[in-house]
Amino acid sequence: MRVRDVTNLHREFDGERLPPGQRETSKFPVLSKSGTPEWNPETWEFSVTGAVENELALSWDEFRDLPSETQRQDFHCVTGWSKFDCEFTGVTLPTLAERAGVRDDAVHVMFSALDDYATNLPLDECMRDEVLLAWAYDGDPLPSEHGGPLRVVTPHKYAYKGAKWVNAVEFLTEPKRGYWEKRGYSDTANPWNEERYS
Ligand SMILES: Nc1nc2c(c(=O)[nH]1)N[C@H]1C(S)=C(S)[C@@H](COP(=O)(O)O)O[C@H]1N2
Ligand SMILES: [Mo]
């Protein structure tokens, strides 16, 4: 299987592979605000709404039929650990956005999840091939505590910008803040600039 290696992403941000103030771990800790939500593959639905030409409502099977790829990425948690060489498989955000036809007035994106988590990114900072809606980790189905069946990964940002258990993407015509962004974490979240708090 072909793997796209994006572990050199830090160069775009003029940083070392290990961002300042981070330590590398080989473990994969779990950070969830409120435990692991249940999901039912029969009724699960993924929605794309807002400033798009075609709103989407995809079943699990329809989502799994979208074109996908595998990437090797680094994962940086704002609490100070980084995990290198994570292999995630899923759909790139540009692929999904193309299906929905993002309108010209879209400037921002909100990701929402089954546990009522939400996180936001400016459109131009998430229309990147590294932003994956991932259902597999290291070749296995994404473990439920890490966001299975489906999560977002954002290797260019601290990991709270990647919603686990994601089931909705809304394209917005003005910025809004998600769960941690409303509670004092940085809205911009660039690990190489140590944008941890706002
Ligand atoms: N839906 C949801 N997504 C979430 C969270 C959460 O609590 N709920 N926590 C975030 C935080 S703070 C981090 S660091 C990463 C942790 O991912 P992990 O548990 O797979 O390490 O998920 C992010 N995405
Ligand atoms: Mo986090």
Side-chain angles (χ1 to χ4, degrees), residues 18-50:
L18 187 67
Q22 296 290 104
R23 76 203 123 69
E24 197 190 339
T25 178
S26 57
K27 299 192 207 84
F28 197 175
V30 172
L31 276 117
S32 306
K33 71 170 180 60
S34 52
T36 300
E38 299 287 317
W39 79 291
N40 178 346
E42 303 292 318
T43 54
W44 185 90
E45 190 174 82
F46 188 89
S47 70
V48 182
T49 59

Side-chain angles (χ1 to χ4, degrees), residues 28-35 37 75-79 81 88 112-119 142 145-147 151-152 158-166 179-180 185:
F28 197 175
V30 172
L31 276 117
S32 306
K33 71 170 180 60
S34 52
F75 190 100
H76 308 295
C77 177
V78 71
T79 61
W81 54 269
F88 288 107
S112 304
L114 295 173
D115 62 342
D116 292 326
Y117 188 80
T119 185
L142 184 66
E145 67 274 21
H146 287 297
R151 79 169 302 160
V152 182
Y158 288 122
Y160 62 89
K161 289 291 183 180
K164 303 197 283 188
W165 312 295
V166 66
Y179 183 87
W180 285 122
Y185 282 91

Side-chain angles (χ1 to χ4, degrees), residues 73 75 88 130-134 151-156 161-163:
Q73 306 191 339
F75 190 100
F88 288 107
E130 301 85 8
V131 177
L132 278 184
L133 297 114
R151 79 169 302 160
V152 182
V153 285
T154 54
H156 62 316
K161 289 291 183 180

Side-chain angles (χ1 to χ4, degrees), residues 107-172:
V107 296
H108 214 81
V109 183
M110 186 69 76
F111 299 89
S112 304
L114 295 173
D115 62 342
D116 292 326
Y117 188 80
T119 185
N120 62 282
L121 279 173
L123 183 70
D124 61 345
E125 292 186 28
C126 69
M127 284 290 242
R128 305 175 54 105
D129 285 340
E130 301 85 8
V131 177
L132 278 184
L133 297 114
W135 63 71
Y137 170 70
D138 283 357
D140 294 317
L142 184 66
S144 56
E145 67 274 21
H146 287 297
L150 188 72
R151 79 169 302 160
V152 182
V153 285
T154 54
H156 62 316
K157 298 288 183 184
Y158 288 122
Y160 62 89
K161 289 291 183 180
K164 303 197 283 188
W165 312 295
V166 66
N167 68 342
V169 175
E170 185 183 5
F171 289 87
L172 302 169

